[in-house]
Amino acid sequence: MSKPRPISGFPEWLPPQRMIEQYVIDRLRRTFELYGFAPLETRAVEPLDQLLRKGETSKEVYLLRRLQADPDAQTGDDALGLHFDLTVPFARYVLENAGKLQFPFRRYQIQKVWRGERPQEGRYREFLQADIDIVDRDELAPHHEAELPLIIGDALASLPIPPVRIQVNNRKVCEGFYRGIGLTDPDAALRAIDRLDRFGPQRVAELLMSTAGASESQAKACLSLAEISAPDASIDDAVRGLGVEHPLLDEGLAELVAVLQTAAAHSPGLCVADLRIARGLDYYTGTVYETQLQGYERFGSICSGGRYDDLASAGADRFPGVGISIGVSRLLGLLFGADALSISRPVPTCVLVALPAESDRPAGNRVADTLRRRGIATEVSPSAAKFGKQIRYAQRRGIPYVWFLGVDGEPDGVKDIRSGDQVSAQAGSWQPAAADLLPTVSDQPAPAAGRPPENLDNMPR
């Protein structure tokens, strides 16, 4: 068998990185639950007609087919795709289970998604997302749009990462403005403005004229709107200063100001209105969010979402919602690439039980079982080698403590192999230092492994 080659865009973290990822997941889950969100996991596949019915996603969907499937089939198992986000499957789930849910329904979902785009730093084809959504029946109160960025701000603030800034806009502001200046295809205008950071003003102006039917003066007005940014209610005056009027514009500005005022009262500086934020997916209808990680702005948003009114709808049943998604793999990939996250040890193990002889393994297992029942991660030495070799094994794995079984009536002892300090101990009562019980994640460089004392084979224990 030839040496396997990695597939680009499908990250496989090393164990220490996976431990950091699990730490992040646990922190996010805890914050979401503090705000009353219930856990949910949906299937990985959806019918293609559902995946393709909203937004420009046809080039991103991975097809799922059986090896012997009929290539021309368009129904059943032969017309399935892997979900490219968690919002579309969540909307389907709500429609299927509406009779069993209590509204407004608050859920969080931390799950893999697949997206067929070009892999690059912090952008993958298989990645983990952490989503929260609030949906209601028929009508969703706008205050929920102001609540979500506060939750995300608290969730990300619980992690050892750089500060974030959440940029907010409202689709109604943009659409009302475009209609107010006479454009008849506001969706096309939004898609053009969404490319502003990538293409620049001149090319976006050309897009507005070629795809949205804008005149040169209308394109200039659209770009003037996109240039407006403000951290507070002054956004209203800035937009009004462009001299455009439309009822939808009034409604959007009121909702946008409410989001900014709520955020300022909860977390000053967390949110800023940025009217170039459009979000490319067509299903957003109100507030939209993008989140910049300070120091990593060039990589784009690490968390985004918005309000949607019609995604979860079928016939007379309508469940408007608002959601936001953290790109967990994207966030971690950027920080791993910059060596900006570390973990205090590369294994969960806190204690290694050393063995004087192989015949002592049953006694070592009993000690390990007692420690584990008390929540102390423990493993028994893989071999009854000389003690120096067993200590070196613990050091290589980053295990801070080595447990020695008592012989000839002597009590057991436990050694902190970083300092060399050793004390007598009983498995039913000994407790490691609080900082050593579990690995800790930090934005500081990982500590270098200490050098064990010389002549380990003959050292006292």
Side-chain angles (χ1 to χ4, degrees):
M1 179 179 176
S2 59
K3 184 178 180 181
R5 296 181 179 179
I7 303 175
S8 64
F10 293 83
E12 295 179 317
W13 307 131
L14 293 171
Q17 294 172 322
R18 173 57 177 158
M19 291 169 65
I20 293 173
E21 183 181 57
Q22 289 179 317
Y23 169 89
V24 169
I25 291 170
D26 287 343
R27 286 297 183 97
L28 296 179
R29 175 187 57 78
R30 177 59 179 153
T31 303
F32 297 158
E33 291 181 355
L34 285 173
Y35 277 87
F37 289 80
L40 184 66
E41 182 169 331
T42 57
R43 65 198 184 204
V45 299
E46 297 291 334
L48 285 180
D49 60 345
Q50 294 298 310
L51 291 174
L52 302 180
R53 71 188 183 94
K54 292 290 183 180
E56 297 181 333
T57 57
S58 60
K59 295 180 180 180
E60 298 182 352
V61 175
Y62 277 108
L63 298 180
L64 185 71
R65 297 190 186 278
R66 293 178 293 113
L67 183 61
Q68 302 300 326
D70 179 357
D72 297 323
Q74 293 297 317
T75 60
D77 290 346
D78 295 320
L80 298 176
L82 295 172
H83 56 223
F84 59 86
D85 71 359
L86 298 178
T87 307
V88 170
F90 173 61
R92 185 267 310 160
Y93 180 91
V94 170
L95 289 173
E96 288 184 4
N97 296 277
K100 305 172 186 177
L101 303 176
Q102 298 295 319
F103 293 97
F105 179 49
R106 303 163 72 91
R107 85 84 170 86
Y108 75 88
Q109 192 168 344
I110 303 175
Q111 199 171 338
K112 288 287 184 71
V113 301
W114 295 267
R115 194 170 296 178
E117 56 185 5
R118 184 174 64 86
Q120 51 189 298
E121 188 173 8
R123 193 175 293 275
Y124 307 104
R125 293 188 283 177
E126 178 185 64
F127 52 98
L128 188 70
Q129 286 191 176
D131 281 29
I132 53 174
D133 283 78
I134 304 172
V135 297
D136 209 342
R137 188 185 293 273
D138 299 325
E139 297 292 336
L140 179 72
H143 66 78
H144 294 299
E145 297 174 50
E147 180 184 10
L148 286 200
L150 311 185
I151 301 166
I152 292 299
D154 285 354
L156 295 178
S158 73
L159 303 174
I161 63 173
V164 300
R165 176 68 61 85
I166 300 178
Q167 300 163 299
V168 296
N169 192 3
N170 193 296
R171 286 282 186 106
K172 296 174 186 176
V173 171
C174 299
E175 182 176 346
F177 184 90
Y178 300 153
R179 292 191 182 280
I181 62 174
L183 292 182
T184 57
D185 192 350
D187 288 342
L190 276 168
R191 286 192 291 271
I193 291 296
D194 195 39
R195 294 172 168 83
L196 192 55
D197 287 336
R198 284 178 288 168
F199 292 170
Q202 182 174 346
R203 188 171 174 190
V204 168
E206 295 170 355
L207 275 175
L208 286 165
M209 290 185 281
S210 63
T211 64
S215 66
E216 185 173 346
S217 62
Q218 287 171 327
K220 184 177 180 180
C222 291
L223 291 173
S224 296
L225 179 73
E227 292 173 356
I228 295 176
S229 178
D232 51 35
S234 64
I235 191 76
D236 188 276
D237 293 334
V239 174
R240 303 287 184 195
L242 296 179
V244 176
E245 296 184 0
H246 193 277
L248 192 60
L249 174 62
D250 298 337
E251 184 180 340
L253 281 172
E255 293 175 0
L256 182 57
V257 168
V259 171
L260 293 172
Q261 291 176 334
T262 302
H266 179 85
S267 300
L270 175 65
C271 290
V272 59
D274 189 333
L275 301 192
R276 73 171 56 203
I277 302 302
R279 303 296 302 138
L281 295 175
D282 291 342
Y283 51 65
Y284 292 123
T285 56
T287 303
V288 290
Y289 319 94
E290 289 195 356
T291 306
Q292 302 290 330
L293 186 67
Q294 292 187 23
Y296 297 81
E297 291 87 353
R298 68 187 185 280
F299 296 106
S301 177
I302 54 98
C303 173
S304 58
R307 166 75 180 244
Y308 48 89
D309 285 326
D310 302 313
L311 185 62
S313 60
D317 294 325
R318 182 170 173 271
F319 301 92
V322 60
I324 193 166
S325 173
I326 301 172
V328 177
S329 298
R330 178 171 175 76
L331 170 65
L332 291 178
L334 295 174
L335 295 174
F336 289 159
D339 291 325
L341 283 177
S342 65
I343 194 162
S344 58
R345 60 178 184 263
V347 294
T349 311
C350 179
V351 177
L352 176 76
V353 179
L355 299 177
E358 189 59 35
S359 60
D360 294 308
R361 186 168 296 277
N365 288 338
R366 288 192 293 273
V367 168
D369 287 344
T370 300
L371 292 171
R372 290 174 191 140
R373 284 194 295 270
R374 299 180 51 238
I376 302 170
T378 306
E379 58 182 277
V380 180
S381 180
S383 66
K386 291 182 179 180
F387 283 131
K389 186 174 181 180
Q390 295 185 64
I391 292 173
R392 282 191 287 271
Y393 171 83
Q395 188 205 29
R396 285 195 302 272
R397 288 175 54 76
I399 301 171
Y401 296 96
V402 174
W403 191 283
F404 297 101
L405 302 174
V407 295
D408 299 329
E410 295 180 0
D412 290 1
V414 63
K415 179 185 291 292
D416 183 335
I417 64 172
R418 299 160 299 185
S419 66
D421 296 336
Q422 181 170 326
V423 296
S424 297
Q426 294 181 346
S429 59
W430 175 81
Q431 192 71 22
D436 293 329
L437 182 60
L438 297 172
T440 57
V441 177
S442 170
D443 59 355
Q444 301 299 316
R451 182 179 180 183
E454 300 293 338
N455 300 318
L456 286 169
D457 294 341
N458 300 318
M459 68 182 294
R461 59 167 185 83

